[in-house]
Amino acid sequence: MERHIPGFPRIGVRRELKAALEARWRGELSPEGLAAAGRELRLRHWDIQRRAGLSLVAVGDFSFYDHVLDTALMLGAVPRRFADADPGAGPELAFRMARGDAARGVAAMEMTKWFDTNYHYIVPELEPGQRLGLASRALADDVRLALEHGHRPKAVLLGPVTFLALAKGVDGQDPWGRLDEVLDAYAALLGELDGLCPWIQVDEPVLCTDLSAQARAAFPRAYAALNGAVADSGLLLATYFGALGARGLELALASGCRGLHVDLVRGAQGLPALLDGLPGGMTLSAGVVDGRGIWRTDLRRAVGLLEDMARRIGPDRLMVASSCSLLHVPVDLEAETALDPEVRGWMAFATQKCAELGALGDLLEGRDRAGDLAASDQAVASRRQSPLTRDPQVRRRCAEVDEAMLRRARPYAERSVAQGWLDLPALPTTTIGSFPQTAEIRRQRRLLREGAVTGADYEAFLKEEIARVVRIQEELGLDVLVHGEAERNDMVEYFGQQLAGFRFTGNGWVQSYGSRCVKPPVICGDVSRPGPMTVSWITYAQSLTERPMKGMLTGPVTILCWSFVRDDLPRAEVCRQLALAVRDEVRDLEAAGVRIIQIDEAAFREGMPLAEAERGEYLRWAVECFRLATSGVDDATQIHSHMCYSSFNDILPAIAAMDADVISIESSRSGMELLQAFREFDYPNAVGPGIYDIHSPRVPPREEMVGLLRAALALIPASRLWVNPDCGLKTRAWPETVESLRNMVAAAQEVRAELEGRG
Ligand code: GLN
Ligand code: ZN
């Protein structure tokens, strides 16, 4: 029985790829040195797969920056602004495309989230007149490299339909208009690979989303062309991140591919329809090991599931696999020496997941892996019985949540009157929470970690920092101040560290984009809040000023989305526990005299399931959790929220249902395109559409922001409009921050004066 993974993490167990990339970008490593580092990682990762007992190793899953960008390069889709460079130039050109070319003033390509993961890909740009065609032979070379090292390779590539669905057309180019050229390039590529490897995996995760009409129309043509280009190798059509919907399933089954890979972790509900329709000649790759989570597989359960499938379709038509590429999990649990052994025993990273697949394959072939089964059983039992996973008090509180806890006492219109005591001017100015995280702040944090400064020293340093940002904000004339978040390394980890039910890995890095990695906290048990988390910082900040100080918390949905979440409890339930913990903090802040409290839900949009049919349910519990976290306060206390996703026009009704008194949202980058949504949907509460882009060091002139505010006023009444940047300022430097905010306050004053003149 074939055992394989759709992909392995690229970054390396010690983030070797990050080190090599950054050395290259600083000019300290040659292109040849970087190539060698990449090659070493690929060889090492193939070895891991083979040693784990996989029958195929994934080749082509590696990338120096991003695999979608590599696909664009392979097809010759290089935007004109980079085109003086040779498309065959490999990673150096990819870096210019991904990071921009500052020396020549060329802007980077856009980056966005890869489906519902926290991995970001570079959005391919298709322009009229761009000549597309197979421009790189790197994949076939890599397959040969794997063969030379005695591996049985499976080539992995991004499929043409997903590529075109993710690409954007510029200058009027419709991406789908380039289908034929793209297919010719794929056919040329497949021609090179044919016969070199038994399987060629073609990734089409777009099949698990609600397909556009163009994608649906393109699919049969695409797969007729692709299948026509191979004679010896079999195409394995890979889908993941959800179940195939009715349309996706129909297309996949009729694709003519020799194999179909499905995600049976996130898409288990699709299995019956799939088994009913699977054509006789098609092999099924069953993704039973979770490629997105860090938990061990219940091997006994998985064997049962696989045996059922084998009985149905015959064992020779079954492959066993992880649900998706292991790109989304850390490399090796062996590196976690400091982790609490109980929780560590429940976990599996990429290397361990490969071993699970090896064991599953053996078990299905009737080989003796009793030891592995027993170890898996023991992990399952240990977890089930652990007091960590079940806190009766938390369970009771969750069960007792009632309707009244999900609602403020009065509707927004009345609350806004009750909040009049805050005595804010029209168009109040504020920021999103963080101020620049300077080198000095990071240094002090490091010194504390290393024991070089005492906790008291560190606290004194932070207090000084808070006093400084309060003074600066007063001088700038901002209306609602913040404490600046200097004490936070990260908006999720900071809270996780103060909550029960969390653990932290030492080395659990996952690629976010390019060389950037994140280390998500692990929610392994029932969550509760042993004590106040932010109250002392915020009340200290409030004590320094007469102006209102905004308390700053991360919301339950965002904590959930940016953590590795336990899989033995529904996500909605974990989120409810988080919501109760945040609710306690909100109430403590209020009791301490903090009467404006912002609960950030930066990840609210990205938590949405890919399939339309599942979104309603997600939005229902996500909104409910936000309301649970925020509704425990008096109507005269003002609740803010912040979201930084630019396209949430489609969920504006859900955002309204969150019923925050004030929301701030990202919008300046898209030239306030977002405001369009407010034309279509009458948002009832107050809103601060970000009027300057904090993602760039550029200082927006006052007149520009005046223009944006006037545009916003055409759609949002002055009584409900706030003035703020579009996100936190932690990545900015101080000089541009102060200048930008000065212009922003001046813009608000100018528009306020216009309003008074009119009124
Ligand atoms: N309050 C956070 C900050 O200002 C919000 C960050 C975010 O939205 N990603 O940094
Ligand atoms: Zn933001």
Side-chain angles (χ1 to χ4, degrees):
M1 181 161 307
E2 299 275 23
R3 318 95 186 261
H4 73 111
I5 53 169
F8 196 83
R10 309 152 180 162
I11 202 75
V13 68
R14 280 174 298 279
R15 285 184 291 163
E16 293 88 334
L17 181 59
K18 177 188 179 69
L21 283 170
E22 290 173 1
R24 173 72 205 120
W25 296 338
R26 287 191 305 266
E28 291 161 12
L29 184 68
S30 65
E32 295 73 29
L34 180 66
R39 186 184 137 110
E40 194 190 316
L41 282 169
R42 297 199 297 283
L43 291 173
R44 190 200 296 166
H45 297 160
W46 294 335
D47 269 338
I48 290 175
Q49 292 169 61
R50 186 166 60 185
R51 266 187 279 123
L54 299 188
S55 58
L56 294 162
V57 299
V59 178
D61 53 344
F62 182 82
S63 172
F64 279 107
Y65 201 98
D66 163 48
H67 61 287
V68 181
L69 176 60
D70 290 350
T71 309
L73 275 164
M74 181 187 80
L75 297 171
V78 178
R80 215 171 296 125
R81 64 186 187 280
F82 302 102
D84 57 346
D86 164 21
E92 299 298 311
L93 176 56
F95 300 153
R96 281 200 293 281
M97 289 162 71
R99 310 174 71 224
D101 194 339
R104 291 167 50 234
V106 179
M109 291 167 75
E110 197 185 307
M111 180 172 79
T112 194
K113 276 181 190 287
W114 172 244
F115 297 89
D116 61 348
T117 74
N118 207 5
Y119 174 81
H120 300 70
Y121 69 93
I122 301 293
V123 180
E125 291 175 29
L126 295 177
E127 296 169 344
Q130 218 168 30
R131 199 124 49 83
L132 303 184
L134 184 61
S136 161
R137 315 218 115 54
L139 182 53
D141 289 344
D142 241 14
V143 169
R144 280 189 209 96
L145 179 67
L147 286 168
E148 278 162 29
H149 283 79
H151 297 293
R152 226 173 128 244
K154 173 196 64 177
V156 176
L157 52 137
L158 181 61
V161 179
T162 298
F163 175 78
L164 286 171
L166 298 181
K168 68 174 181 191
V170 295
D171 298 339
Q173 173 69 58
D174 170 12
W176 298 103
R178 311 306 290 273
L179 178 64
D180 287 332
E181 288 156 89
V182 165
L183 293 181
D184 286 348
Y186 271 87
L189 172 67
L190 292 179
E192 286 193 359
L193 295 172
D194 190 27
L196 282 182
C197 38
W199 288 99
I200 301 171
Q201 172 186 316
V202 191
D203 286 2
E204 293 285 9
V206 77
L207 282 180
C208 294
T209 67
D210 300 304
L211 291 160
S212 68
Q214 291 110 311
R216 264 180 295 167
F219 194 87
R221 263 175 66 201
Y223 281 82
L226 265 56
N227 279 299
V230 285
D232 296 330
S233 300
L235 293 191
L236 177 62
L237 177 65
T239 66
Y240 41 81
F241 300 152
L244 289 160
R247 288 221 168 87
L249 180 64
E250 202 179 305
L251 292 170
L253 295 180
S255 65
C257 292
R258 198 178 295 169
L260 172 63
H261 171 81
V262 292
D263 179 337
L264 293 178
V265 176
R266 297 204 169 206
Q269 72 274 26
L271 186 59
L274 172 66
L275 289 175
D276 284 346
L278 197 73
M282 201 179 236
T283 292
L284 181 64
S285 164
V288 292
V289 165
D290 189 0
R292 299 273 298 265
I294 50 163
W295 307 106
R296 283 178 77 134
T297 307
D298 179 345
L299 291 183
R300 196 169 294 278
R301 216 188 127 255
V303 167
L305 186 71
L306 290 163
E307 278 173 350
D308 282 348
M309 282 187 263
R311 264 193 296 278
R312 233 354 240 283
I313 62 172
D316 47 334
R317 279 171 65 207
L318 194 59
M319 298 167 90
V320 40
S322 58
S323 59
C324 60
S325 166
L326 302 178
L327 179 63
H328 312 288
V329 296
V331 177
D332 192 351
L333 191 59
E334 286 299 315
E336 296 303 321
T337 45
L339 200 62
D340 147 9
E342 183 188 20
V343 176
R344 190 177 183 275
W346 307 339
M347 291 168 40
F349 290 177
T351 304
Q352 289 69 38
K353 285 171 189 285
C354 290
E356 289 183 336
L357 287 165
L360 280 172
D362 280 354
L363 284 161
L364 266 106
E365 287 170 358
R367 284 203 206 117
D368 178 25
R369 297 292 293 252
D372 298 80
L373 260 191
S376 165
D377 289 347
Q378 207 213 322
V380 170
S382 141
R383 198 170 166 200
R384 194 173 296 138
Q385 288 149 15
S386 168
L388 182 59
T389 57
R390 201 172 177 88
D391 177 339
Q393 225 172 318
V394 172
R395 298 292 169 112
R396 199 169 328 115
R397 255 194 107 190
C398 279
E400 283 167 3
V401 168
D402 60 24
E403 273 301 307
M405 292 170 76
L406 305 175
R407 242 180 335 187
R408 305 283 295 273
R410 284 174 291 170
Y412 169 75
E414 292 170 36
R415 294 199 306 267
S416 67
V417 176
Q419 289 157 20
W421 72 276
L422 290 165
D423 205 23
L424 298 169
L427 311 186
T429 53
T430 191
T431 60
I432 305 304
S434 59
F435 271 99
Q437 287 254 333
T438 56
E440 184 55 20
I441 295 176
R442 286 195 298 267
R443 194 177 77 92
Q444 291 287 336
R445 195 176 293 138
R446 198 182 58 238
L447 291 177
L448 175 75
R449 223 176 23 238
E450 292 165 354
V453 300
T454 65
D457 291 342
Y458 181 66
E459 187 173 325
F461 166 79
L462 288 176
K463 282 189 159 170
E464 247 171 69
E465 185 64 24
I466 290 174
R468 202 164 69 86
V469 303
V470 169
R471 227 177 306 121
I472 293 173
Q473 293 173 89
E474 286 191 327
E475 277 163 21
L476 284 166
L478 287 154
D479 300 306
V480 173
L481 311 194
V482 297
H483 78 295
E485 302 182 24
E487 79 286 10
R488 302 182 191 175
N489 44 342
D490 174 283
M491 63 186 288
V492 170
E493 189 173 68
Y494 179 76
F495 289 94
Q497 276 165 345
Q498 302 187 70
L499 291 167
F502 279 78
R503 290 291 184 276
F504 301 87
T505 64
N507 199 44
W509 297 100
V510 179
Q511 191 177 15
S512 173
Y513 64 89
S515 68
R516 270 280 265 271
C517 300
V518 294
K519 191 158 67 64
V522 178
I523 304 179
C524 54
D526 280 353
V527 175
S528 60
R529 189 197 69 140
M533 303 183 282
T534 62
V535 176
S536 64
W537 298 119
I538 314 285
T539 49
Y540 173 69
Q542 180 68 83
S543 75
L544 302 173
T545 178
E546 296 290 307
R547 303 190 185 210
M549 178 62 56
K550 180 161 67 166
M552 198 57 62
L553 305 174
T554 301
V557 182
T558 299
I559 298 178
L560 186 83
C561 284
W562 289 348
S563 299
F564 280 121
V565 182
R566 61 192 293 187
D567 60 356
D568 57 347
L569 197 66
R571 283 173 83 79
E573 218 30 60
V574 179
C575 199
R576 183 186 284 236
Q577 296 180 356
L578 287 162
L580 283 168
V582 175
R583 179 182 174 98
D584 292 343
E585 185 72 11
V586 169
R587 292 174 72 139
D588 279 353
L589 281 169
E590 182 187 49
V594 180
R595 304 298 300 274
I596 301 184
I597 304 167
Q598 177 172 310
I599 296 92
D600 289 326
E601 285 293 16
F604 193 87
R605 174 70 175 70
E606 77 185 55
M608 276 237 287
L610 295 178
E612 181 92 53
E614 292 160 35
R615 291 190 183 160
E617 175 61 10
Y618 164 77
L619 290 174
R620 190 193 57 71
W621 62 254
V623 167
E624 187 179 297
C625 286
F626 181 84
R627 294 176 63 128
L628 179 58
T630 54
S631 297
V633 292
D634 192 85
D635 282 341
T637 296
Q638 191 169 69
I639 296 291
H640 289 221
S641 186
H642 166 71
M643 276 164 263
C644 33
Y645 203 85
S646 51
S647 70
F648 41 123
N649 305 19
D650 50 338
I651 59 161
L652 212 46
I655 294 175
M658 290 164 76
D659 200 26
D661 297 302
V662 184
I663 55 164
S664 60
I665 44 186
E666 180 176 318
S667 59
S668 60
R669 247 202 302 193
S670 45
M672 284 219 166
E673 255 167 57
L674 172 96
L675 284 177
Q676 187 54 37
F678 290 87
R679 194 162 305 174
E680 285 150 22
F681 176 81
D682 195 7
Y683 182 77
N685 302 5
V687 52
I691 59 166
Y692 83 81
D693 178 9
I694 62 90
H695 305 85
S696 130
R698 175 176 174 269
V699 174
R702 176 185 48 94
E703 312 80 68
E704 181 181 309
M705 291 190 270
V706 167
L708 290 172
L709 284 175
R710 289 196 191 120
L713 277 170
L715 294 160
I716 300 158
S719 58
R720 291 198 268 120
L721 186 63
W722 281 64
V723 179
N724 46 260
D726 72 346
C727 197
L729 296 158
K730 63 175 162 245
T731 56
R732 292 273 60 86
W734 270 108
E736 78 244 20
T737 297
V738 167
E739 262 188 83
S740 300
L741 290 175
R742 185 167 291 128
N743 291 351
M744 184 186 88
V745 171
Q749 280 162 351
E750 183 173 333
V751 179
R752 248 176 236 163
E754 282 173 20
L755 289 172
E756 275 159 25
R758 233 183 282 155

